[in-house]
Amino acid sequence: MTTHSLLLLPGDGIGAETIAEVERVIAFFNKTAKSAKFETDTDLVGGAAYDKHGLAISDKAMAKAMKADAVIFGAVGGPKWDGVPYEVRPEAGLLRLRKDLGLFANLRPAICYPALADASSLKRELVEGLDIMIVRELTGGVYFGEPKEIVTLEDGQKRAVDTQIYTTHEIERIARVAFDLARKRSGKVHSAEKRNVMRTGVLWNEVVTATHKAYAPDVKLEHILADNCAMQLVRNPKQFDVIVTDNLFGDVLSDEAAMTTGSLGMLPSASLGAPDAETGKRKALYEPVHGSAPDIAGKGLANPIATIASFGMALRYSFDMAKEADRLDRAIAAVLAAGLRTADIMQPGMRQVGTADMGAAIVEELSRHAA
Ligand code: IPM
Ligand code: MG
């Protein structure tokens, strides 16, 4: 029996409530899975870490994250910390985790559950059966490029600079992740950049083209300008399968794709590092795409599905437990099909439940089909 170590970082806002439901799912697998057990530890990140340590994440929590087989992350941020210094704002904790763990590949599936097709702001026929995978570069680009500063000019005005930087290596390794994923899906990749305005876009386009030729000629590749991609995502989202793009475009396009599915509260993500040369293991962090939703925090209203499905991605990508991951995905779909809804996805004629009831229903559904 293998034991996998998980570091739980609930963070702020609804993070604590949604991670509590993941703990329920973990307890279920610990009771029933025959091949593996999970051991968990918990620490602070974001505003919660700032309140205690004056930092967005402590070195001790970082060390735990480095050692864990996977990190399960809730959410960070909220109006309470609007005034804190930029370096220690809640989001800095997440960015440090991504950077220091080398989590360059961010996988953001946008899947439309059949039961929720009417909750989308797009027409049912446009989104029913939608299944897109956005592959976002996560440790480079304008998020981390230097200089990144605000300077005061001689005439008293200020000038702000952010720097977009990409190297061949960074583009090639994320392109490979996208091609590998496409091979297991419909075999099609769209690469989105702004080569018409940005030098990094020109290089991105060149390197993706070369990587495609050398590494994945069997996959179909199309280049698309990022603004056109944004437009096409709401015009005809089903034309896409895998979309590979940089850190900033990926941030924006993944929120857009997520919303076409009906609710941000439904979607998980995985952030993966390179496989270790000796063990083959990747550092990994799993988190919902949604944020900390301070307006509903602590009220038991949050939708725990994105965070639970993020744990499902951990089963799939970190622990080679695809069967269990499939079972968890099916349990989520079944609970939705049975009419249970949290407030964010409530529809007429359905039964509204809170965070804990949704988590409990998913576990109950899992137990019903336990092998
Ligand atoms: C995301 C978030 C983060 C990002 C924030 C919280 C720093 O929007 O994961 O998409 O911009 O990457
Ligand atoms: Mg975002």
Side-chain angles (χ1 to χ4, degrees):
M1 168 99 60
T2 333
T3 302
H4 302 303
S5 62
L6 298 172
L7 176 65
L8 309 179
L9 295 175
D12 308 319
I14 59 172
E17 293 153 81
T18 63
I19 290 280
E21 298 316 306
V22 171
E23 293 190 79
R24 208 194 277 266
V25 174
I26 294 170
F28 168 82
F29 282 111
N30 273 345
K31 226 170 55 199
T32 57
K34 295 187 182 68
S35 57
K37 286 247 177 293
F38 299 98
E39 200 176 76
T40 62
D41 192 0
T42 305
D43 215 308
L44 303 173
V45 67
Y50 176 79
D51 288 346
K52 175 118 190 259
H53 305 295
L55 291 168
I57 187 161
S58 69
D59 289 343
K60 204 168 128 238
M62 276 306 305
K64 285 185 193 174
M66 285 287 196
K67 270 194 21 214
D69 293 319
V71 177
I72 313 289
F73 187 96
V76 288
K80 183 178 173 199
W81 302 282
D82 276 351
V84 309
Y86 184 78
E87 297 70 37
V88 292
R89 71 200 187 288
E91 291 77 6
L94 177 58
L95 296 177
R96 179 167 176 205
L97 281 160
R98 290 174 179 171
K99 193 65 177 176
D100 289 7
L101 266 55
L103 308 174
F104 70 93
N106 184 212
L107 277 40
R108 296 194 160 181
I111 293 167
C112 183
Y113 290 87
L116 290 186
D118 289 320
S120 172
S121 45
L122 300 183
K123 294 189 200 91
R124 171 178 269 274
E125 60 266 30
L126 287 182
V127 295
E128 201 170 11
L130 183 71
D131 182 356
I132 297 177
M133 178 68 87
I134 298 202
V135 179
R136 168 187 178 194
E137 199 292 325
L138 202 61
T139 50
V142 75
Y143 272 62
F144 297 100
E146 295 286 348
K148 191 176 193 62
E149 61 187 11
I150 301 179
V151 291
T152 305
L153 303 176
E154 271 173 20
D155 66 0
Q157 290 206 46
K158 289 185 177 179
R159 187 183 63 193
V161 186
D162 291 289
T163 307
Q164 165 91 340
I165 303 180
Y166 272 108
T167 62
T168 308
H169 166 69
E170 286 174 307
I171 302 168
E172 187 183 321
R173 68 179 176 178
I174 194 72
R176 283 173 183 254
V177 170
F179 291 131
D180 286 342
L181 282 166
R183 283 200 179 105
K184 295 190 194 147
R185 299 167 54 100
S186 77
K188 188 169 75 180
V189 171
H190 281 82
S191 167
E193 31 62 8
K194 282 284 288 178
R195 64 186 176 281
N196 52 350
V197 203
M198 299 170 78
R199 289 296 197 176
T200 47
V202 172
L203 184 67
W204 185 280
N205 185 283
E206 272 173 29
V207 175
V208 172
T209 303
T211 309
H212 174 243
K213 201 167 158 215
Y215 180 73
D218 53 312
V219 173
K220 191 162 176 280
L221 170 67
E222 277 182 47
H223 298 282
I224 185 166
L225 294 174
D227 53 343
N228 184 28
C229 184
M231 186 268 279
Q232 295 294 340
L233 270 171
V234 285
R235 193 184 75 87
N236 175 19
K238 282 194 243 170
Q239 69 187 289
F240 295 108
D241 182 28
V242 175
I243 299 174
V244 62
T245 191
D246 77 13
N247 203 343
L248 185 60
F249 294 139
D251 180 44
V252 176
L253 294 174
S254 62
D255 263 26
E256 190 193 8
M259 203 56 219
T260 64
T261 69
S263 169
L264 219 47
M266 302 294 301
L267 297 176
S269 81
S271 302
L272 308 175
D276 182 272
E278 271 167 38
T279 63
K281 276 193 189 172
R282 291 169 178 271
K283 294 240 184 314
L285 178 147
Y286 298 88
E287 58 169 321
V289 170
H290 64 70
S292 59
D295 51 323
I296 58 161
K299 297 185 180 157
L301 292 173
N303 185 347
I305 291 180
T307 315
I308 292 175
S310 297
F311 176 67
M313 288 188 89
L315 294 174
R316 200 179 297 284
Y317 293 105
S318 282
F319 305 130
D320 206 10
M321 295 171 74
K323 267 216 313 256
E324 286 80 358
D326 287 344
R327 203 190 301 158
L328 183 53
D329 287 345
R330 277 200 306 273
I332 293 170
V335 164
L336 292 170
L340 264 65
R341 299 285 188 275
T342 42
D344 56 313
I345 51 173
M346 185 56 191
Q347 291 162 303
M350 301 294 149
R351 184 153 73 86
Q352 190 171 328
V353 296
T355 314
D357 286 340
M358 182 58 95
I362 291 169
V363 169
E364 202 187 304
E365 184 64 35
L366 276 171
S367 335
R368 200 167 304 150
H369 301 284

